[in-house]
Structures are given as C-alpha cells and as structure tokens.
Amino acid sequence: MIQPLPDYKNLDASGEARQAALRMEARAGKRRRRRCLNNWWRRCWMTTYAAKLEIGCGTAALSRRIAQRQPHAHVYAADKSAGMLQMAQELIAEERLGNIQLTHWDVLGNQRPRLPTLPLT
C-alpha cells in the first residue's frame, strides 16, 4: 500500500519528522543516492573554502560526508524542521563529527540564519 507523503510544510507539527528523517536516511544509503551524494561531495571537496553551508539539510547526509572527508572544514547545515535537525544531531553525535554546526532556519522566513560570520577562504 502506498503511503501518502507527509506535509513537509508542517512536518514537526504533524509529528512526521522522525519518520521522514528515517526515510531520508534509508534513501541516502541506497546505491544510486550514494553515488549522487558522492558526486556532490566531490564538487564540495574540490573547493578550497574553509566553510561549507548546506541549506535544507534534512538529516545532513551531505554535510556529514563533507565533515568526514574534510575534518579541517567548518560545515554549517540549516533546515526548517526541528525534528530533522534533531535526527541530524543524533547522527552527527553517533559519527563523532565535531566540525558541523546545525541551525534552525526557514529560507522563506524573514529571519536570518543563526550562523557565525563565514570565512571567505
């Protein structure tokens, strides 16, 4: 039976954040998705910037890959779902990644993200 997609606009309010996060992680582990993430990672890896920013990070799958392969880089990840960020934080702690900073931010909102001033090099 096909399950309806959660209301991503109100993911936390609907209580679907954890289930959606688990689905995202399952998809990130699939061979095709891993290849896509690795291609994105290579593009990020080839840049010389000391800071990386992922907007709409969900479970921070891409940010975690970058942080693992570039422990010297500062990785910032933002998402509008507090539930997704909670799951991302659990995975970051499990993987013992100390160079990722998560922040709650809705790109369509009026407020700026809570991030330090990002270095340009």
Side-chain angles (χ1 to χ4, degrees):
M1 180 175 176
I2 297 175
Q3 297 290 326
L5 291 174
D7 178 5
Y8 283 97
K9 188 173 183 180
N10 295 305
L11 196 60
D12 296 322
S14 69
E16 279 284 321
R18 185 148 185 92
Q19 289 79 15
L22 292 171
R23 286 191 297 271
M24 287 179 121
E25 279 301 300
R27 282 195 305 262
K30 290 185 178 180
R31 184 177 178 188
R32 186 180 204 173
R33 181 60 69 123
R34 279 194 320 264
R35 196 172 4 176
C36 177
L37 286 171
N38 286 334
N39 285 338
W40 274 105
W41 169 78
R42 279 189 203 99
R43 289 180 184 166
C44 291
W45 175 74
M46 299 192 70
T47 64
T48 58
Y49 298 109
K52 315 287 184 184
L53 171 62
E54 180 183 12
I55 298 173
C57 68
T59 60
L62 178 59
S63 291
R64 293 188 342 256
R65 278 180 171 74
I66 293 168
Q68 288 168 348
R69 290 168 175 89
Q70 292 188 336
H72 62 280
H74 300 283
V75 182
Y76 302 94
D79 200 277
K80 69 179 182 178
S81 168
M84 286 290 183
L85 292 171
Q86 181 180 357
M87 178 71 151
Q89 187 61 55
E90 291 171 16
L91 293 166
I92 289 166
E94 185 178 299
E95 296 171 16
R96 298 180 182 182
L97 299 170
N99 57 334
I100 299 179
Q101 180 179 336
L102 298 174
T103 190
H104 185 258
W105 181 49
D106 184 350
V107 70
L108 298 177
N110 293 331
Q111 296 192 351
R112 299 180 73 169
R114 291 185 209 128
L115 295 171
T117 303
L118 301 176
L120 297 176
T121 58

